Amino acid sequence: AIRMTQSPSSLSASTGDRVTITCRASQGISSYLAWYQQKPGKAPKLLIYAASTLQSGVPSRFSGSGSGTDFTLTISCLQSEDFATYYCQQYYSYPPVTFGGGTKVEIK
Amino acid sequence: QVQLVESGGGVVQPGGSLRLSCAASGFTFSSYGMHWVRQAPGKGLEWVAFIRYDGSNKYYADSVKGRFTISRDNSKNTLYLQMNSLRAEDTAVYYCAKDETALGYWYFDLWGRGTLVTVSS
């Protein structure tokens, strides 16, 4: 199975900050990467698929980039509702699809 | 309203069985592949199983293969997960999740709120 590694595992930031989360695949996955946001006690929510395509209804301050093995999720101007845990997921090779370990974005 | 609602979780002893259900509404359930994804307490996400729109193909994570069975009833807009020979490591919140396509594109554009399964004596 393809291993997905996220960094950092957690970060502290302030409202208005620009935040970047990195996801690395153990082998090339082209652009078959999705990003999810999960708030405590809630189900994950799809933010981005195909590495950079914003899911309908997701604010434009979220963006994704990358291909091959290295990917980035950027939140351009952090809002209070963005404090959550973010997961990347590869769907290039399956089964199984695999997720990164998560990045918790906390309030500084 | 487009939603998925899981049910059937609870506390079960090791070696026991449980059947989870996921009721879909607000979209054409029979046109989409469906998945189960789980999350152990305080841990990350783990894909569990997938079934194609018509039930013709099913896939499982190695960790549950031979113990869990995914199925669906398109007439009832419901997805199921039959879990047998449960182990402590199966303790998790189980989410049903909708695939983007009928045959499976293998990412998840709609999730339920989850149901907690606790395996403990």
Side-chain angles (χ1 to χ4, degrees):
Chain A
I2 296 175
R3 187 170 65 254
M4 306 301 293
T5 303
Q6 282 183 240
S7 61
S9 56
S10 66
L11 65 89
S12 295
S14 301
T15 303
D17 284 353
R18 181 182 182 90
V19 168
T20 299
I21 298 168
T22 297
C23 179
R24 175 165 289 176
S26 62
Q27 65 186 75
I29 60 169
S30 186
S31 296
Y32 293 94
L33 186 97
W35 289 98
Y36 302 88
Q37 176 194 65
Q38 187 179 32
K39 297 181 180 180
K42 304 293 186 182
K45 172 187 173 183
L46 177 66
L47 297 176
I48 287 168
Y49 60 95
S52 61
T53 302
L54 210 60
Q55 174 70 346
S56 176
V58 174
S60 59
R61 62 181 180 274
F62 291 92
S63 64
S65 65
S67 66
T69 60
D70 294 312
F71 302 86
T72 298
L73 173 69
T74 299
I75 310 171
S76 60
C77 183
L78 198 66
Q79 302 297 301
S80 58
E81 59 265 33
D82 301 335
F83 291 97
T85 299
Y86 294 85
Y87 293 94
C88 62
Q89 177 230 330
Q90 69 80 21
Y91 54 100
Y92 174 80
S93 174
Y94 52 81
V97 294
T98 46
F99 295 86
T103 296
K104 187 174 184 179
V105 177
E106 299 176 298
I107 301 172
K108 183 183 285 185
Chain B
Q1 184 180 0
V2 177
Q3 64 177 359
L4 298 168
V5 180
E6 301 92 337
S7 60
V11 179
V12 60
Q13 292 187 339
S17 298
L18 212 55
R19 188 175 87 153
L20 307 183
S21 299
C22 170
S25 59
F27 65 98
T28 306
F29 178 72
S30 59
S31 295
Y32 294 93
M34 295 294 296
H35 301 260
W36 288 99
V37 178
R38 68 184 181 183
Q39 186 170 35
K43 301 297 184 181
L45 299 165
E46 179 189 18
W47 171 80
V48 173
F50 168 72
I51 185 168
R52 284 189 174 177
Y53 73 105
D54 59 356
S56 60
N57 288 79
K58 305 173 185 181
Y59 301 89
Y60 299 93
D62 286 346
S63 58
V64 306
K65 199 173 294 182
R67 301 187 298 122
F68 289 13
T69 301
I70 188 171
S71 62
R72 64 191 297 161
D73 186 337
N74 286 344
S75 68
K76 296 182 178 179
N77 292 338
T78 302
L79 176 73
Y80 303 100
L81 185 68
Q82 177 67 43
M83 304 186 296
N84 299 330
S85 303
L86 283 161
R87 307 166 179 167
E89 54 264 35
D90 296 318
T91 294
V93 174
Y94 285 73
Y95 297 101
C96 67
K98 172 183 166 290
D99 198 281
E100 173 75 8
T101 68
L103 299 182
Y105 211 46
W106 291 72
Y107 65 86
F108 319 109
D109 64 356
L110 178 68
W111 298 64
R113 297 190 66 176
T115 186
L116 177 62
V117 172
T118 303
V119 184
S120 173
S121 56

